[in-house]
Amino acid sequence: MAAVQWRSRGRNYEAELQRCCPEATPVEFGDYHPLKPIMVTDTKTRRGARKGSTSSSSSSSSSAAPDPLSSMLDGTDPLSMFAAASAIETPAMSQSASAGDLGRKRREKEAEEAVGPDFEPWSAKRGEILARFTTTEKLSINLFMGSDRGKALSPGSSAVSEKVRTRLEELDDLEEGSQRELLNLSQQDYANRIEELNQSLKEAWASDQKVKALKIVIQCSKLLSDTSVIQFYPSKFVLITDILDTFGRLVYDRIWTMCSDPRPLPDSFTVDDVNDTAKETCLNWFFKIASIRELLPRLYVEAAILKCNRFLNKSGIQETLPRLTAMIRGIGDPLVAAYTRAYLCRVGMEVAPNLKDSLNRNFFDLLGTFRQISSESVQNQLVLQRVEVPEYLTLYSPAINWILQCIAYRAPEPLLTEMMERCKKLGNNALLLNSVMRAFRPEFVAARATDFIGMIKDCDEAGFPKHLLFGSLGRSLACADPPESERLTILNEAWKVITKVRSPRDYVNCAEIWVEFTCRHFTKREVNTILADIIKHMTPDRAFEDAYPQLQSVIRKILTYFNDFSVLFSMERFLPFLDMFQKDSVRVEVCRSIMEVFIKHQLESTRDPVILNAMLHICKTMHDSVNALTLEDEKRSLSLLIIGFIRMVCFGRDFEQQLSFCVEARATFCNLEPVLVQLIHTVNQLAMETRRVMRGSHSRKTAAFVRACAAYSFITIPSLSSIFSRLSLYLQSGQVALANQCLSQADAFLKAAVSILPEVPRSISIEGKLRSSETFLLDFINNFLATLLVVPDHPEHGVLYLVRGLLNMVQDYTWEDNSDAKVRVYVSALPLLAAMSQETYLYSIPKVDSNETLYGGDPKFLSEINKLCETLIGQILDQLKSLGRDEQSTRRQGALAFSLFGVLLAHGDLRNNKLSQLAVNLWNLSHKHGYCDTRVSVRTLEYIKHQALQHDMAHLSDTVQRLALQSRT
């Protein structure tokens, strides 16, 4: 393949565009159009109608094929057909089965209505109680030590008399108390021991040692009478009642299984469905429990299997609950009695939620025991354990809260009012009042907020701190609104008490609750006052360092209700409040939450100096937290938030102020590269907006301004570490400068881009994986070549100096082995050079004289283009020859040859015989080894034939005759 003389074919771009545009075909309104909606009428048809008949069930507004989605309306889709077939083939249900199913559904509905998903279960409170009530005191536990007699009988000793004698011996052993006391246990050790007992219970039950299982449950129940470490009692109650729940479930499942022979017992069974053996076993369990001597374990164990009364009679549960409630009156310790009532109410809500009378009776009995709290025995116990009365009273909270929750659940208004009146008659017991406000519906409490405040005032401060009462009231008011006329009075009365709290921890816990009420119903003035008071209380002795979670909650609540940042930042105490977050991680987290709300709710751009200064301060705080150890994901997250802020800043027509802001932001956020990239984009956009406003005709002032924008970008880009970010921004900034007639600046940008091409690494890291950079580099070079068409040559640097500079860099670049990237760049440069040789360029920039104007088709200029093209074609042909020497590279040779053929066909003047012959040779070479896509080849030939029909392209007829398709061998 000898070198040929290149000639670019002349192009008339307007004529080619006209030929490519499809002819517009007028469409009358009556004609069918694919986007016209199809109207479907759904008509009820008989079940026995013919399947294929759809005329009676649907109709279309046009005569075209019906919409496939409309078939669902006439019942012809597969799912509808299956449903209809199953409805016909399935026999009718028997009347008894239907009745049973309806009855079951009715009972399920009643149960759902009794306890719905809006009822907070005990399991949700369990974790909170265990975390709240802890101790560092040493604990003790009475571990049951079973004897060998409690083991399962061997198969040979199955006589009834032997079994009875063994059971009697086990019961005697139970009474003798075969047990060992473990002392000096930590809280974790105690919990582990209880879990071991729970596991032992399951193992004993699985090995048919039922009496041993009962012994374990009794021993655990006895532990609930021990209040030697009183602060831990609520957690002890939670741990031990888990064992009781397990025991109750095991007994119930065993008896239910006995009833399932020969057929399974339905969930909605009645007493008549239970066989005699199961009833006898159930009675046996109740008799065993009745023989327990001590009151407390007998109460707890019977309550645990309360559900088993369903196997004996219909009214068993209804009769047992009042009896157990009355038995609790025999417990002397008021704390133990309160938790026993809580357990009974918990079991009652699970098995018979509709029996509210026992719940009410437990509550009224609880009210009667409050006087015991001030008794001498309780006071002596508190002195002995060094527990203050307020701390002791908080131990009652989980039990009382649960009882009141059960009572208040879907309770009628008169009942709640009655409960409230009873609390008043009791002398406004603070502990009870606190539980009432937490358990009753927020709407009920909010409607009577003034009455509750009056009751709080009457409470004794020594027994239960008033700030805790106001905290409970605040939680209700955060969920429901009090009467509008009373809101200010409520806030004033509450804050009078809260602001007098001396302990910073207690103060901030209560203040955090009331911030939400203030934000919901008042203006920034009241919120600012609250913030000032919080700062006053939390600043001394750096108390805020121990209250970061509460202070963060305050910020979140304010942001929830104040989305107008001009109002938010006009609060004098908001930024000083932020200054209390002095721990780096917490401060950044708070700033991040503020930025997220700003980006979400700030829908319009802003130039408000108050907002800008405050947000710059917040963004700077986030930026300054970045160091060498910061993870890339964290940097990316912070950058996105700061970029979101920058995009919202707009000074309107004050472009100089906008540029000044970008200069300040560049200095502030210099460590976050994505932010710098965004700033460069912002400045480039600012220059283009200036051009739009001036309609392309710059004045002296605006010309100086767009040059200043170019200088900003030129200074900032080198500070970026990513080579591809620099390349892309150099090119984009050069295009912007060119559009604004800043020719020297555009020239500087493009030369800078060419100069850093050798720095591009052969591989780059993408999402933690090394990838070849070749694809990215080729994309950039192609974009760069497209820009060079409109860039005029510099008068001091000669013809096509940027094109030559780029090609020289490409030639010197170290490409990957076995890569055709370099010659592919040469192939891409040929269309550019062909476009430069045209009299009129394909595109141009207004008010910028490209080479078409500078040279005006000068023969010397065209000669330089042709020489450069011939040099590039020579390099490509040399590469094709080298590829032909290696059998492994024939596929690459064919692809490269076909690519060069396409360039010659589109941009070369094939009237030149040598160029035409070269095109034919390239076609044959690309098809020589059968790797060329046949479909692409066929379409290419069709295109050439179509082009040959044009009067100025008739010479292609001879060329296409010489192009043959070769089948693969």
Side-chain angles (χ1 to χ4, degrees), residues 124 141 167 205 386 424 442-443 462 494 607 659 662 794 848 953:
I141 185 172
R167 290 293 176 88
W205 191 272
R386 299 178 182 177
K424 286 184 178 180
E443 295 80 9
R607 59 183 299 173
L659 182 60
C662 292
H794 196 284
V848 174
M953 302 288 285

Short mmCIF file of all heavy atoms in Angstrom, two decimals, residues 124 141 167 205 386 424 442-443 462 494 607 659 662 794 848 953:
data_model
loop_
_atom_site.label_atom_id
_atom_site.label_comp_id
_atom_site.label_asym_id
_atom_site.label_seq_id
_atom_site.Cartn_x
_atom_site.Cartn_y
_atom_site.Cartn_z
N ALA A 124 -41.48 -4.52 73.73
CA ALA A 124 -40.88 -3.24 73.34
C ALA A 124 -40.32 -2.49 74.54
O ALA A 124 -39.43 -1.65 74.40
CB ALA A 124 -41.92 -2.38 72.62
N ILE A 141 -28.29 -15.30 94.35
CA ILE A 141 -29.35 -16.07 93.69
C ILE A 141 -29.40 -17.45 94.31
O ILE A 141 -28.36 -18.04 94.64
CB ILE A 141 -29.08 -16.17 92.17
CG1 ILE A 141 -30.25 -16.86 91.47
CG2 ILE A 141 -27.79 -16.87 91.87
CD1 ILE A 141 -30.13 -16.82 89.96
N ARG A 167 -42.73 -39.46 91.89
CA ARG A 167 -43.27 -38.11 91.88
C ARG A 167 -43.44 -37.58 93.30
O ARG A 167 -43.16 -36.41 93.59
CB ARG A 167 -44.63 -38.08 91.15
CG ARG A 167 -44.51 -38.30 89.66
CD ARG A 167 -43.80 -37.14 88.99
NE ARG A 167 -43.60 -37.36 87.58
CZ ARG A 167 -44.47 -37.03 86.64
NH1 ARG A 167 -45.62 -36.50 86.98
NH2 ARG A 167 -44.20 -37.24 85.37
N TRP A 205 -37.92 -30.02 80.63
CA TRP A 205 -39.23 -30.29 80.00
C TRP A 205 -39.06 -31.25 78.81
O TRP A 205 -39.86 -32.17 78.63
CB TRP A 205 -39.85 -28.98 79.54
CG TRP A 205 -41.28 -29.13 79.12
CD1 TRP A 205 -41.76 -29.45 77.89
CD2 TRP A 205 -42.42 -28.98 79.96
NE1 TRP A 205 -43.11 -29.49 77.90
CE2 TRP A 205 -43.57 -29.22 79.17
CE3 TRP A 205 -42.59 -28.66 81.30
CZ2 TRP A 205 -44.86 -29.14 79.67
CZ3 TRP A 205 -43.87 -28.58 81.82
CH2 TRP A 205 -45.00 -28.83 81.00
N ARG A 386 -29.38 2.94 101.33
CA ARG A 386 -28.92 4.27 100.91
C ARG A 386 -29.56 4.69 99.59
O ARG A 386 -28.89 5.11 98.64
CB ARG A 386 -27.40 4.28 100.77
CG ARG A 386 -26.67 3.97 102.08
CD ARG A 386 -25.17 3.94 101.88
NE ARG A 386 -24.49 3.61 103.12
CZ ARG A 386 -23.16 3.45 103.22
NH1 ARG A 386 -22.40 3.61 102.14
NH2 ARG A 386 -22.61 3.15 104.38
N LYS A 424 -56.57 12.69 92.05
CA LYS A 424 -56.72 13.92 92.83
C LYS A 424 -57.06 13.61 94.27
O LYS A 424 -56.51 14.19 95.21
CB LYS A 424 -57.82 14.80 92.22
CG LYS A 424 -57.43 15.50 90.93
CD LYS A 424 -58.55 16.41 90.45
CE LYS A 424 -58.18 17.15 89.20
NZ LYS A 424 -59.26 18.04 88.72
N PRO A 442 -52.42 11.10 74.40
CA PRO A 442 -51.94 12.49 74.39
C PRO A 442 -53.07 13.49 74.19
O PRO A 442 -53.02 14.59 74.77
CB PRO A 442 -50.96 12.51 73.21
CG PRO A 442 -50.50 11.10 73.07
CD PRO A 442 -51.67 10.26 73.46
N GLU A 443 -54.09 13.14 73.39
CA GLU A 443 -55.21 14.07 73.17
C GLU A 443 -55.95 14.35 74.47
O GLU A 443 -56.37 15.49 74.73
CB GLU A 443 -56.17 13.49 72.14
CG GLU A 443 -55.59 13.33 70.74
CD GLU A 443 -54.73 12.10 70.59
OE1 GLU A 443 -54.72 11.27 71.53
OE2 GLU A 443 -54.06 11.97 69.55
N ALA A 462 -40.43 17.04 97.30
CA ALA A 462 -39.47 16.11 97.90
C ALA A 462 -39.70 14.68 97.42
O ALA A 462 -38.76 13.90 97.26
CB ALA A 462 -39.57 16.18 99.42
N ALA A 494 -44.66 25.90 82.79
CA ALA A 494 -43.68 24.82 82.71
C ALA A 494 -42.26 25.36 82.83
O ALA A 494 -41.43 24.80 83.56
CB ALA A 494 -43.86 24.05 81.41
N ARG A 607 -29.44 35.15 48.29
CA ARG A 607 -28.30 36.07 48.43
C ARG A 607 -28.33 36.76 49.78
O ARG A 607 -27.59 37.72 50.00
CB ARG A 607 -28.34 37.10 47.31
CG ARG A 607 -29.59 37.94 47.27
CD ARG A 607 -29.60 38.90 46.11
NE ARG A 607 -28.52 39.84 46.16
CZ ARG A 607 -28.23 40.71 45.20
NH1 ARG A 607 -28.94 40.68 44.08
NH2 ARG A 607 -27.22 41.54 45.32
N LEU A 659 -18.73 36.31 41.72
CA LEU A 659 -17.34 35.89 41.55
C LEU A 659 -16.56 36.06 42.85
O LEU A 659 -15.74 35.20 43.20
CB LEU A 659 -16.69 36.70 40.43
CG LEU A 659 -15.24 36.35 40.08
CD1 LEU A 659 -15.13 34.89 39.65
CD2 LEU A 659 -14.70 37.27 38.99
N CYS A 662 -17.23 33.14 45.01
CA CYS A 662 -16.49 31.96 44.57
C CYS A 662 -15.02 32.04 44.99
O CYS A 662 -14.41 31.01 45.32
CB CYS A 662 -16.60 31.79 43.06
SG CYS A 662 -18.27 31.34 42.50
N HIS A 794 -2.83 30.72 16.17
CA HIS A 794 -2.14 31.86 16.78
C HIS A 794 -1.19 32.44 15.73
O HIS A 794 -0.46 31.70 15.03
CB HIS A 794 -1.35 31.39 18.00
CG HIS A 794 -0.92 32.53 18.88
ND1 HIS A 794 0.14 33.36 18.56
CD2 HIS A 794 -1.41 32.95 20.07
CE1 HIS A 794 0.29 34.27 19.53
NE2 HIS A 794 -0.63 34.04 20.46
N VAL A 848 -16.26 35.17 16.54
CA VAL A 848 -14.92 34.58 16.61
C VAL A 848 -14.56 34.12 15.20
O VAL A 848 -15.26 33.31 14.60
CB VAL A 848 -14.86 33.39 17.59
CG1 VAL A 848 -13.49 32.72 17.52
CG2 VAL A 848 -15.14 33.85 19.01
N MET A 953 -22.19 12.76 -6.53
CA MET A 953 -21.53 11.58 -5.96
C MET A 953 -21.64 10.38 -6.90
O MET A 953 -21.52 9.24 -6.49
CB MET A 953 -22.18 11.21 -4.61
CG MET A 953 -22.16 12.31 -3.57
SD MET A 953 -20.51 12.59 -2.92
CE MET A 953 -20.34 11.16 -1.86
#
